[in-house]
Amino acid sequence: MNLTLKIWRQKSAKDKGQMVEYKVTEISEHMSFLEMMDVLNEQIINKGDEPVAFDHDCREGICGMCSMYINGEAHGPDRGVTTCQLHMRMFKDGDTITIEPFRAKAFPVIKDLVVDRTSFERIQQSGGFISVNTSGNTQDANSIPISKQAADEAMDAATCIGCGACVATCKNSSAMLFVGAKVSQYALLPQGQVEATDRVLNMVAQMDAEGFGNCTNTGACEVECPKGISLENIARMNREYLSASFKG
Ligand code: SF4
Ligand code: FES
């Protein structure tokens, strides 16, 4: 395939940035989108120019690093995949593809397609964990009975990879699907009950402090989430928050 790429280039956080057009040729439909970007970068480097900066790590849908806004959609036109799992067969020969960084106030652009998502880490640090006694008397997790439904729902919530597609997709740049998933994975399990009140209050407070917007129930986040995180997690977080507010 031969393609035209319109890519956001921005030298630094302070640079104004602009769209720059590139041509790539002989792209295989079996390549992943990131492999196509590698071909482009080789081409750019051979010309002595600066390659396009983009985030990636696992390249198998696990780390959540490969944030790209492709043709107006987080992680591109396919469903249930990250950019590294997106195949070039989703595009046609001769296509023009627009590639931008995830855009949200709480995800400032660092360079080209790389954004700073440490706001998610600060939300996690504010409550996305459980404290476990490691004195040697820790209860064996397998001896704590958990219903199949709770275990399944907690596992589903825990599949969130923190990619930020929900934020990039939301017209309000809301992080409620991410935070909802992180709150839910503990709220559903007995191990999460001890710190449940502080957890939801602190995580929501940090989410607001980072400048994420509110949820207005459009559901775009759920559609674009590569891991199929359900809106039910936002509803659960709201219930947890309400009950914690009365206790807190
Ligand atoms: S909820 Fe989905 S879209 Fe949002 S960070 Fe988690 S995996 Fe990514
Ligand atoms: S590079 Fe890890 S999810 Fe895409």
Side-chain angles (χ1 to χ4, degrees):
M1 289 193 265
N2 297 330
L3 302 162
T4 302
L5 307 175
K6 289 186 175 172
I7 305 181
W8 183 258
R9 301 299 313 258
Q10 184 174 335
K11 286 193 176 69
S12 67
K14 291 205 173 88
D15 182 34
K16 201 160 152 254
Q18 60 174 337
M19 297 301 286
V20 178
E21 195 171 298
Y22 299 93
K23 302 269 183 207
V24 279
T25 54
E26 293 176 37
I27 297 296
S28 160
E29 61 172 6
H30 304 301
M31 280 181 182
S32 75
F33 200 85
L34 296 191
E35 284 166 340
M36 183 277 293
M37 292 296 290
D38 292 338
V39 171
L40 169 72
N41 273 344
E42 264 176 43
Q43 201 175 292
I44 294 176
I45 290 166
N46 286 341
K47 279 190 196 153
D49 293 333
E50 179 104 2
V52 179
F54 63 90
D55 256 337
H56 60 100
D57 190 0
C58 70
R59 295 201 176 209
E60 53 183 351
I62 295 169
C63 72
M65 294 294 285
C66 52
S67 47
M68 283 188 203
Y69 218 65
I70 303 162
N71 283 349
E73 286 184 89
H75 298 302
D78 208 354
R79 288 288 166 268
V81 297
T82 51
T83 301
C84 58
Q85 297 171 303
L86 177 66
H87 280 100
M88 292 313 295
R89 67 182 74 102
M90 294 300 294
F91 302 92
K92 293 194 302 294
D93 183 36
D95 270 0
T96 297
I97 307 174
T98 305
I99 310 165
E100 297 166 89
F102 280 3
R103 293 196 191 276
K105 190 176 147 210
F107 289 167
V109 175
I110 297 172
K111 184 176 182 180
D112 296 336
L113 304 174
V114 179
V115 298
D116 181 353
R117 286 180 294 120
T118 51
S119 48
F120 267 14
E121 281 163 34
R122 288 187 291 274
I123 293 172
Q124 275 290 80
Q125 285 159 7
S126 72
F129 53 83
I130 57 165
S131 302
V132 174
N133 180 345
T134 52
S135 63
N137 300 319
T138 314
Q139 189 178 3
D140 183 344
N142 288 329
S143 69
I144 305 170
I146 298 168
S147 74
K148 170 89 169 78
Q149 190 182 346
D152 285 351
E153 286 177 12
M155 186 55 104
D156 286 348
T159 59
C160 165
I161 55 173
C163 67
C166 45
V167 173
T169 301
C170 176
K171 63 179 177 158
N172 309 317
S173 299
S174 168
M176 296 271 279
L177 195 64
F178 165 74
V179 183
K182 297 300 173 193
V183 165
S184 287
Q185 78 181 76
Y186 298 113
L188 286 154
L189 299 175
Q191 291 91 333
Q193 300 314 308
V194 183
E195 290 146 308
T197 304
D198 285 348
R199 175 178 305 112
V200 68
L201 293 177
N202 291 344
M203 290 183 83
V204 169
Q206 190 63 37
M207 173 179 81
D208 290 343
E210 296 290 350
F212 291 104
N214 270 325
C215 173
T216 48
N217 292 310
T218 51
C221 54
E222 186 186 57
V223 175
E224 294 291 349
C225 171
K227 296 296 161 185
I229 299 294
S230 159
L231 289 176
E232 181 52 41
N233 290 295
I234 296 182
R236 186 180 296 105
M237 176 176 68
N238 287 337
R239 291 195 297 273
E240 287 284 312
Y241 187 82
L242 193 64
S243 107
S245 304
F246 286 127
K247 287 183 206 156

